[in-house]
Amino acid sequence: MQTTEAKLKRSSLSLMLKRYSSAVSDMERTILLPSLLRDVPSDWMDCEAARANDLYGNYMMLRTIRNTVESSLVPLEEQDGRRKEPVRSPEPDSEELFQFHLRGLCSVMNDLTEKTRSLTEKYLNMIGVAQ
């Protein structure tokens, strides 16, 4: 039986971010001609606006997210917006709120990793390389 600590280590945010970064690096090494993804409809995206994108747009989005995750930079307009907000002391439920957002972030990172792997597999199928 696995201990709680072992489960936490296996599903840590740091590990999820590394998995995602690795999946995107693998995608970049595999997809030598990203332009082949243009005009290929994306069928695995959830929202309607994302479905309107082709696989090339999704490829670029996944790379951009990885670059943002690795650089840990928040876009300037978001930083400015945060400075304008009043500074509040931590509320009693800050830990609960943190846990909620952490679970959400972990879920998003797992989803993006799977989508990155799916895009890589679809590219390989398009060029006729079987896995």
Side-chain angles (χ1 to χ4, degrees):
M1 182 174 268
Q2 288 185 331
T3 65
T4 303
E5 186 176 321
K7 288 180 184 177
L8 288 175
K9 284 182 181 177
R10 197 177 72 237
S11 64
S12 74
L13 179 59
S14 176
L15 183 58
M16 288 178 191
L17 294 174
K18 286 179 186 176
R19 283 183 189 145
Y20 176 67
S21 181
S22 176
V24 173
S25 293
D26 183 47
M27 176 184 74
E28 289 177 316
R29 282 190 303 273
T30 302
I31 300 176
L32 301 176
L33 296 170
S35 60
L36 289 177
L37 300 172
R38 289 193 189 276
D39 300 325
V40 177
S42 174
D43 55 353
W44 49 260
M45 295 299 285
D46 296 332
C47 67
E48 199 60 39
R51 267 190 232 125
N53 258 351
D54 57 12
L55 286 180
Y56 180 78
N58 293 320
Y59 171 85
M60 296 304 293
M61 174 197 64
L62 293 165
R63 288 182 59 216
T64 301
I65 291 171
R66 191 268 319 263
N67 292 341
T68 302
V69 165
E70 288 182 352
S71 69
S72 300
L73 295 177
V74 178
L76 186 59
E77 52 278 357
E78 288 183 30
Q79 289 176 354
D80 291 341
R82 288 185 183 169
R83 280 191 212 128
K84 294 174 188 172
E85 294 178 15
V87 178
R88 293 187 271 173
S89 62
E91 297 175 9
D93 64 345
S94 293
E95 184 178 357
E96 183 179 319
L97 188 59
F98 171 76
Q99 291 295 330
F100 172 78
H101 287 290
L102 182 61
R103 281 191 301 274
L105 181 58
C106 289
S107 174
V108 167
M109 294 314 301
N110 279 332
D111 188 45
L112 288 172
T113 301
E114 288 306 312
K115 289 177 180 181
T116 301
R117 291 176 180 152
S118 172
L119 191 142
T120 303
E121 288 176 25
K122 191 163 191 166
Y123 175 83
L124 289 173
N125 287 337
M126 286 173 52
I127 62 171
V129 177
Q131 284 192 341

